[in-house]
Amino acid sequence: MNSVALAHLTEQAEKARTQAAQLLAEDRNNKEKIAQQLQMLQQYRHEYALQLQQQMRIGIQSTMLGTYRAFLASLDRAIAQAQEALAQNEERIAKSKQKWLEKQRRWQSFDLLQERQHTSIKQQRERAEQRQNDELSLTMYLRHRRKTT
């Protein structure tokens, strides 16, 4: 494979790896946001349940009790939705991480090929230079020998 084509493939693989890394980072950021929302909902539900308990100790009207229970039920639904969103996001993260790892391996393969190609070219140049130096040395030796004979 010529060096231009390999360099192009390496560059494309690096771009794909970078995009996969960005998607993974976005998914992780979304997970943090969802986890924070879930924690906030759980804390709010806990506080609201404590308020209901306090109201029940001192006496509460039945309409107010119904309102509390309905609100707690809506908080429970919101918590369940947030938990489901968090689970889905964790699945997305696992897939994004796998995709990133694949892109990383592909880029590393091309990068290694490119490095080997550069090493091979460098060795070829060094051998050619050594041949030229050997030929020059031999030519100079032969000239010097002719002059002395």
Side-chain angles (χ1 to χ4, degrees), residues 31 85-95:
K31 178 186 174 188
L86 188 60
Q88 289 173 356
N89 188 266
E90 287 174 352
E91 288 176 19
R92 239 185 339 273
I93 287 173
K95 288 177 184 176

Side-chain angles (χ1 to χ4, degrees), residues 95-128:
K95 288 177 184 176
S96 293
K97 185 175 181 179
Q98 185 61 37
K99 187 174 183 177
W100 175 80
L101 286 170
E102 290 170 10
K103 300 298 181 183
Q104 176 71 10
R105 281 188 219 108
R106 182 173 167 85
W107 172 78
Q108 285 175 328
S109 296
F110 284 128
D111 190 53
L112 180 61
L113 284 174
Q114 195 172 26
E115 187 178 311
R116 286 179 181 170
Q117 190 177 57
H118 286 130
T119 301
S120 176
I121 290 169
K122 181 180 176 187
Q123 289 172 345
Q124 289 172 1
R125 286 181 185 153
E126 288 172 353
R127 282 191 290 257

Side-chain angles (χ1 to χ4, degrees), residues 123-135:
Q123 289 172 345
Q124 289 172 1
R125 286 181 185 153
E126 288 172 353
R127 282 191 290 257
E129 186 178 320
Q130 185 63 46
R131 274 193 304 274
Q132 286 176 345
N133 287 338
D134 290 348
E135 288 173 10

